[in-house]
Amino acid sequence: MPSTKEIKQKIKSTGNIKKIAKTMEMVSVSKMRKAVDRAVASRVYAKYALELLVNLSKHKDVTHPLMTERKGTPPAGGELLIVVAGNKGLCGGYNSQLQKSLNIYFKKASSTMLGTSESVRNIKAITVGKYGEKICRKLAVPIVASFNTFSEKSTTDETKILSDFAVGEFLKGEYKSAKILYTEFLKSTSYKPALRELFPVSVKSLANVLELIDVTVSDNTLVDYTFEPDINSIVDGILPGLVDTVVHQSLSEA
């Protein structure tokens, strides 16, 4: 049986652990609140940026490689997938839910290909976070590039490296489409995996992305712009920046 001295030491050490855990909790709550504020604050800008993209994508005279639908024949029959997961574990089902969602997507994709000449779906991944790499390696998905340095404080300039790389890969002509899988923030105790289509930019893909910020764009909101010098010059100038916004907003949500 332990002595009185040993019991007192145990009580003291338990009290110290409680203080440390409380401090860690306060730090985590503060970091979480700041991350949420950043994600919510950028939603308004993302909303109007995406509305502009919807307007542009409906214009018949727009011709841009990121807006051109590609046939599912080689070499443009593959799919580029950006997988956004965590750098660390001990976060409940955060990473495992992403893996489960990716598994379900693969099964659905395989079932839609029954009866076609394709035996293996050509999917390659760009991973964000160390667990993004682990998930793709576990599911035998070829990894094109990995980005493990992003944090909840990453700015648009920093995440632009990812969006520029994704755009560069898509413009090579090897992929029919590009999608991003990330965790959509609902509230501090609630989140869900979300799969959004990035390229080719179209009304359908943009409507898919707009869901993340609870925005619906009807025909009444579409504006008949007058473009100078011409619409394609404007699109060439602003489309890369709008893509950066979509990617950064997805990472902020995650």
Side-chain angles (χ1 to χ4, degrees):
M1 186 173 179
S3 65
T4 303
K5 183 178 179 180
E6 289 174 331
I7 293 174
K8 287 181 178 180
Q9 287 178 337
K10 186 68 174 179
I11 292 172
K12 185 178 179 180
S13 62
T14 302
N16 290 336
I17 292 172
K18 181 180 179 181
K19 290 178 182 178
I20 294 171
K22 185 65 177 177
T23 302
M24 292 173 66
E25 179 187 5
M26 291 172 65
V27 172
S28 297
V29 168
S30 177
K31 289 177 67 177
M32 180 68 176
R33 187 178 293 114
K34 289 178 181 178
V36 170
D37 289 344
R38 275 190 289 268
V40 172
S42 59
R43 282 179 177 177
V44 177
Y45 179 80
K47 168 194 169 183
Y48 290 109
L50 289 166
E51 283 186 358
L52 178 58
L53 267 179
V54 170
N55 279 279
L56 293 175
S57 63
K58 290 181 78 72
H59 204 288
K60 295 179 181 179
D61 297 330
V62 173
T63 56
H64 193 280
L66 294 179
M67 290 182 166
T68 304
E69 186 175 351
R70 298 171 179 176
K71 302 294 183 182
T73 55
E79 185 172 282
L80 185 64
L81 190 62
I82 303 174
V83 181
V84 183
N87 267 325
K88 300 178 181 179
L90 295 176
C91 49
Y94 185 88
N95 295 311
S96 60
Q97 282 190 24
L98 282 167
Q99 180 174 329
K100 183 179 178 181
S101 179
L102 192 56
N103 233 332
I104 292 172
Y105 174 67
F106 285 161
K107 289 179 180 179
K108 287 182 179 179
S110 298
S111 65
T112 59
M113 290 170 55
L114 294 177
T116 66
S117 59
E118 295 180 33
S119 57
V120 179
R121 185 170 178 82
N122 184 18
I123 295 180
K124 294 182 180 179
I126 298 174
T127 63
V128 177
K130 294 178 181 178
Y131 275 81
E133 283 187 62
K134 289 183 178 181
I135 290 170
C136 289
R137 288 200 177 103
K138 191 171 184 178
L139 298 177
V141 181
I143 299 174
V144 178
S146 296
F147 296 85
N148 299 330
T149 58
F150 296 139
S151 71
E152 69 276 4
K153 296 180 181 179
S154 294
T155 63
T156 309
D157 289 337
E158 292 169 330
T159 57
K160 179 177 170 59
I161 300 172
L162 169 61
S163 55
D164 284 349
F165 184 85
V167 168
E169 284 294 305
F170 184 75
L171 292 179
K172 288 180 180 179
E174 299 176 4
Y175 305 101
K176 182 181 179 182
S177 64
K179 294 181 173 69
I180 182 167
L181 175 66
Y182 65 101
T183 303
E184 182 179 345
F185 172 77
L186 300 176
K187 54 184 180 180
S188 58
T189 57
S190 181
Y191 47 87
K192 67 176 182 179
L195 183 66
R196 313 289 182 189
E197 185 170 321
L198 291 177
F199 312 125
V201 176
S202 65
V203 174
K204 181 181 178 181
S205 66
L206 290 171
N208 184 240
V209 175
L210 280 165
E211 291 176 4
L212 92 91
I213 52 177
D214 296 324
V215 175
T216 55
V217 179
S218 64
D219 289 336
N220 294 330
T221 66
L222 301 177
V223 181
D224 187 14
Y225 294 110
T226 299
F227 297 97
E228 293 182 2
D230 61 84
I231 186 171
N232 287 307
S233 297
I234 301 299
V235 170
D236 286 340
I238 68 171
L239 189 55
L242 296 178
V243 170
D244 293 341
T245 299
V246 173
V247 172
H248 181 261
Q249 183 64 31
S250 298
L251 293 181
S252 296
E253 295 284 336

